[in-house]
Amino acid sequence: MRYIVVGGGPAGCAAAYTLQKQGHEVDLFEADDALGGRTRQIKIGDFSVGVGALFLMGGIYPRTTAILKEIGRHDDLVPWGGASELMDSDDSRYPVSFVDLLSYLKVPRLTLGDRINIAWMGIKLFLSSGAKNPFDGEDLARYDHGDNLEGFARKEMGDRGYEYIIRPLFDFLYAVPPSWLSTPFPIAIIQQAFKMKLSVPPEGPVQVSEWMIEASRNVEVNLSTPVTRISRQDDSYVVEAAGQRYRADGLVVATEAFTAAGLMRDFISTDSHDKLENAPYTDYAHVQIGYKKNPWPDYPADIVLPVGYGEGPRPVGALVLQSRRQVSAVPPGGELVGVYFTTPPLEHMSDEDIKREALDTVHRAFGEPSEKPEFVELFHYDKGLNIAKPGAYGTLDAMRRELPPGIVLAGDYFAQAGIEAAVFSGERAANQLMGAGGSG
Ligand SMILES: Cc1cc2nc3c(=O)[nH]c(=O)nc-3n(C[C@H](O)[C@H](O)[C@H](O)COP(=O)(O)OP(=O)(O)OC[C@H]3O[C@@H](n4cnc5c(N)ncnc54)[C@H](O)[C@@H]3O)c2cc1C
């Protein structure tokens, strides 16, 4: 069988890896000049700057972990403690561990009553049922009862629990107000928090995609080759790319949802097309600021999360000292600060506003450096991260099942954005295509 995979992010690479494992030949088409999609690294002078993803999350990334073990790469991952601090609106700092939810109970702004409430909620959630894989949209849909995360958290944890635990975590991870997010993912994360450990491949998360392809035989990778059209002919598909036409017995489309909608427009129902086209994504930006000489080598935290009780939307969700996360991101003695924005304020900011706000927040968090940065690089996406609104998992999962035979979709948008969501969906798409995965 001849299979084609469109898109070389983690979803497409996981699909290609899974197909070739069963002896199939695969052609992978990637629009960009490198694999990895939103996990790519780019060179700026001696710095290696991530366009998106920062870390893997250990036991709550089961399929990514399993594949990395299978290809002998799991031991290459570099653990990262993710030492963090909350930065309050009066500039007070509260040290926490990003992955240890219990550490947030020590935040001095929480009262004894808050702590008891939150601990009780944790126990109740731990004992209740929830999605087994927090990045499987089908599993998440079963627990999506239309609630939103802000409503849930305020009710179960109180207002301070919401402001000092849920909001900082989700401002960083998903960059939208928790009122826009459905609850099954955060509940599954809280239930499985004990499995969470951060790690990073030595050259950045892009290596997850690169390693899967390096471990593959019979996968022909075509970089800088955007697919411009897909059409259906009898039982097979024709893919057009770089002026050529390629026939495939089966196809995995592993681009972002809105791109998949355009490519498949000719042979899917209007309803399926519209569900893909309208899959919710957020405008997203981060700024990477490079310093040749590290101005803050002894700063006590790697991540700073701005917080503030009862405040409206704030522009910056997190600051990350990248040399702590990925040593290879910076030249010796240098530092790279990632400033990650949140959506509603972003909508009203020009690119210059975003860069200025990034620098101001860095100075507020770490102190003004004596030397100017080497560069201030803005990464601004019209549609950067998919948003799992209440109802979104079920809508997309139902649409996935309505497609004609021989073509399947993969991408992180079926669940909560994340490398595990992409890898899980890519593996599932390949298995569905080969008939091994039942309904996928
Ligand atoms: C700022 C940021 C931070 C993040 N942090 C993390 C993190 O710390 N941990 C984590 O797990 N996840 C993180 N993510 C999310 C993670 O990057 C995504 O979930 C993941 O990359 C999605 O993989 P994908 O394969 O579904 O899509 P993508 O990575 O977007 O890959 C899609 C690929 O399709 C290609 N393509 C598009 N159109 C065409 C076409 N017509 N023809 C051929 N190819 C095409 C694109 O060029 C791209 O390479 C972050 C994302 C961002 C933006």
Side-chain angles (χ1 to χ4, degrees):
M1 297 283 266
R2 184 191 169 90
Y3 290 114
I4 285 180
V5 174
V6 184
C13 293
Y17 170 77
T18 309
L19 289 165
Q20 66 79 38
K21 227 167 55 169
Q22 299 305 319
H24 298 294
E25 297 199 352
V26 183
D27 259 319
L28 185 151
F29 293 96
E30 166 53 50
D32 221 309
D33 61 3
L35 293 172
R38 282 167 284 153
T39 68
R40 275 180 307 113
Q41 300 276 136
I42 60 162
K43 278 274 174 205
I44 302 182
D46 295 334
F47 292 78
S48 172
V49 182
V51 308
L54 296 136
F55 47 75
L56 305 176
M57 294 206 234
I60 64 162
Y61 276 27
R63 292 314 307 156
T64 309
T65 302
I67 292 180
L68 293 182
K69 284 187 175 161
E70 198 170 276
I71 62 179
R73 290 296 193 170
H74 191 258
D75 289 347
D76 292 342
L77 299 179
V78 182
W80 178 41
S84 307
E85 67 180 16
L86 305 183
M87 175 170 76
D88 214 336
S89 36
D90 64 0
D91 271 354
S92 302
R93 308 300 164 103
Y94 318 128
V96 290
S97 159
F98 188 70
V99 289
D100 177 6
L101 293 183
L102 290 177
S103 70
Y104 291 78
L105 290 179
K106 293 188 198 134
V107 171
R109 296 296 304 268
L110 299 175
T111 65
L112 180 63
D114 291 332
R115 293 186 181 120
I116 292 169
N117 260 345
I118 295 163
W120 177 233
M121 178 214 64
I123 293 167
K124 274 194 306 188
L125 282 188
F126 191 70
L127 296 174
S128 64
S129 55
K132 284 201 175 54
N133 178 343
F135 296 91
D136 171 358
E138 187 180 354
D139 200 1
L140 291 165
R142 282 193 275 273
Y143 297 94
D144 186 355
H145 308 301
D147 301 329
N148 75 72
L149 178 56
E150 178 174 347
F152 167 83
R154 283 194 190 279
K155 182 165 153 252
E156 296 290 338
M157 305 168 77
D159 291 339
R160 280 179 296 271
Y162 168 72
E163 294 285 5
Y164 289 100
I165 303 178
I166 293 297
R167 221 178 129 192
L169 282 171
F170 282 82
D171 274 2
F172 179 25
L173 287 176
Y174 296 105
V176 294
S179 60
W180 297 11
L181 295 172
S182 63
T183 51
F185 172 79
I187 288 177
I189 293 289
I190 294 170
Q191 287 171 328
Q192 299 184 29
F194 65 96
K195 296 184 191 168
M196 215 193 295
K197 281 196 172 64
L198 303 185
S199 67
V200 188
E203 301 297 328
V206 66
Q207 286 189 292
V208 172
S209 298
E210 292 172 348
W211 285 341
M212 286 189 283
I213 296 303
E214 278 165 29
S216 297
R217 298 169 63 184
N218 300 329
V219 176
E220 171 103 16
V221 175
N222 304 275
L223 297 176
S224 306
T225 317
V227 168
T228 48
R229 185 160 182 245
I230 302 171
S231 50
R232 195 165 179 212
Q233 281 188 2
D234 305 322
D235 286 341
S236 61
Y237 290 87
V238 173
V239 167
E240 293 176 33
Q244 305 274 334
R245 289 161 63 84
Y246 302 84
R247 198 192 62 78
D249 299 308
L251 204 61
V252 178
V253 180
T255 65
E256 300 91 331
F258 48 93
T259 309
L263 290 174
M264 295 164 53
R265 176 190 297 272
D266 291 347
F267 55 88
I268 59 174
S269 71
T270 311
D271 186 46
S272 296
H273 170 271
D274 292 350
K275 282 177 188 155
L276 277 173
E277 175 82 17
N278 300 324
Y281 277 82
T282 164
D283 183 15
Y284 189 63
H286 60 99
V287 177
Q288 303 286 346
I289 307 172
Y291 298 89
K292 259 212 160 116
K293 185 165 178 297
N294 187 349
W296 313 284
D298 303 319
Y299 198 78
D302 306 355
I303 305 175
V304 174
L305 303 166
V307 292
Y309 184 73
E311 281 178 2
R314 46 185 165 256
V316 172
L319 302 107
V320 178
L321 294 173
Q322 308 282 25
S323 70
R324 318 281 182 89
R325 181 186 62 81
Q326 181 194 331
V327 175
S328 65
V330 300
E335 185 55 282
L336 178 69
V337 190
V339 185
Y340 296 87
F341 280 73
T342 62
T343 290
L346 202 57
E347 281 169 4
H348 309 290
M349 295 169 81
S350 69
D351 286 356
E352 281 315 305
D353 291 339
I354 297 171
K355 287 190 193 174
R356 203 173 315 113
E357 180 72 35
L359 280 165
D360 287 350
T361 314
V362 166
H363 300 165
R364 186 183 146 212
F366 304 115
E368 194 130 2
S370 54
E371 284 175 37
K372 281 203 153 97
E374 280 290 293
F375 60 85
V376 179
E377 188 75 21
L378 169 65
F379 296 80
H380 198 174
Y381 304 92
D382 278 353
K383 294 182 173 185
L385 287 172
N386 66 296
I387 315 169
K389 293 188 169 175
Y393 309 124
T395 305
L396 288 168
D397 202 58
M399 181 275 309
R400 188 171 66 80
R401 295 160 189 282
E402 291 159 10
L403 298 186
I407 189 159
V408 287
L409 289 165
D412 65 346
Y413 56 90
F414 285 106
Q416 200 85 31
I419 292 169
E420 173 69 13
V423 167
F424 176 88
S425 75
E427 227 186 356
R428 179 187 58 191
N431 285 328
Q432 189 181 344
L433 204 51
M434 295 185 294
S439 62

